[in-house]
Amino acid sequence: MAVTYKLTFMLLEILFITILKCCADENCETLPSEIHVTKEEYDDMGSLVRSCSGEVVVNKCEGICNSQVQPSVITPTGFLKECFCCKENYLRERLVTLTHCYDPDGLRLEDEERATMEIRLREPAECKCYKCGDYSR
């Protein structure tokens, strides 16, 4: 009788997980987001040469991934945990131009060569649901 009960419970667990994975909506997606970026430039002596900033539109990962915790007779803790997080699938590198540059005294730089600064940043190119704690990718 105890074996039949355990087997029935295991089958119900598998069915429950399958239903959750099939029917629940996941919407992990790549969305645009505006951030403020500031970058400082220093000379060889460590003195501030200029500070540049600007508003930049970058991609972010946002959304819901299905996760669940349920009782289990199989696992040592007594619970079966499956957690998923919305994360970047891969990153891309981009060049961005900052257009508000100032000297160390806070005066706006006007000369063409120093009035802007080009920086590299990395942003998510695509997002999807990953098992939480999976850093192997």
Side-chain angles (χ1 to χ4, degrees), residues 48-63:
L48 181 64
V49 174
R50 65 181 172 153
S51 178
C52 299
S53 64
E55 302 300 317
V56 179
V57 176
V58 295
N59 288 337
K60 68 177 179 177
C61 294
E62 187 173 302

Side-chain angles (χ1 to χ4, degrees), residues 114-128:
R114 295 174 16 120
T116 62
M117 179 188 289
E118 202 168 70
I119 63 167
R120 292 183 190 280
L121 59 80
R122 291 172 28 161
E123 67 179 345
E126 185 179 288
C127 305
K128 71 179 207 177

Side-chain angles (χ1 to χ4, degrees), residues 87-123:
K87 293 193 214 179
E88 69 279 0
N89 192 23
Y90 64 93
L91 298 171
R92 73 170 170 217
E93 193 170 279
R94 247 181 54 187
L95 287 176
V96 175
T97 303
L98 303 178
T99 55
H100 303 287
C101 295
Y102 301 89
D103 69 10
D105 297 323
L107 299 173
R108 181 100 186 235
L109 296 170
E110 299 295 333
D111 62 284
E112 235 178 89
E113 188 177 312
R114 295 174 16 120
T116 62
M117 179 188 289
E118 202 168 70
I119 63 167
R120 292 183 190 280
L121 59 80
R122 291 172 28 161
E123 67 179 345

Side-chain angles (χ1 to χ4, degrees):
M1 172 115 174
V3 174
T4 306
Y5 177 76
K6 283 184 180 181
L7 185 59
T8 304
F9 194 76
M10 282 177 25
L11 290 173
L12 285 173
E13 279 184 286
I14 293 168
L15 180 63
F16 183 70
I17 291 170
T18 305
I19 290 170
L20 279 177
K21 287 188 178 185
C22 291
C23 302
D25 290 335
E26 290 186 348
N27 68 344
C28 177
E29 57 188 333
T30 309
L31 297 173
S33 174
E34 187 173 80
I35 61 170
H36 182 80
V37 177
T38 301
K39 177 77 173 168
E40 295 175 336
E41 181 181 15
Y42 296 90
D43 64 16
D44 294 337
M45 301 297 290
S47 299
L48 181 64
V49 174
R50 65 181 172 153
S51 178
C52 299
S53 64
E55 302 300 317
V56 179
V57 176
V58 295
N59 288 337
K60 68 177 179 177
C61 294
E62 187 173 302
I64 297 170
C65 299
N66 297 329
S67 296
Q68 61 265 345
V69 176
Q70 63 189 29
S72 172
V73 294
I74 301 168
T75 61
T77 62
F79 292 96
L80 177 62
K81 299 178 184 183
E82 286 199 321
C83 302
F84 292 87
C85 305
C86 182
K87 293 193 214 179
E88 69 279 0
N89 192 23
Y90 64 93
L91 298 171
R92 73 170 170 217
E93 193 170 279
R94 247 181 54 187
L95 287 176
V96 175
T97 303
L98 303 178
T99 55
H100 303 287
C101 295
Y102 301 89
D103 69 10
D105 297 323
L107 299 173
R108 181 100 186 235
L109 296 170
E110 299 295 333
D111 62 284
E112 235 178 89
E113 188 177 312
R114 295 174 16 120
T116 62
M117 179 188 289
E118 202 168 70
I119 63 167
R120 292 183 190 280
L121 59 80
R122 291 172 28 161
E123 67 179 345
E126 185 179 288
C127 305
K128 71 179 207 177
C129 293
Y130 282 97
K131 192 164 181 67
C132 297
D134 182 8
Y135 303 109
S136 61
R137 47 178 187 82

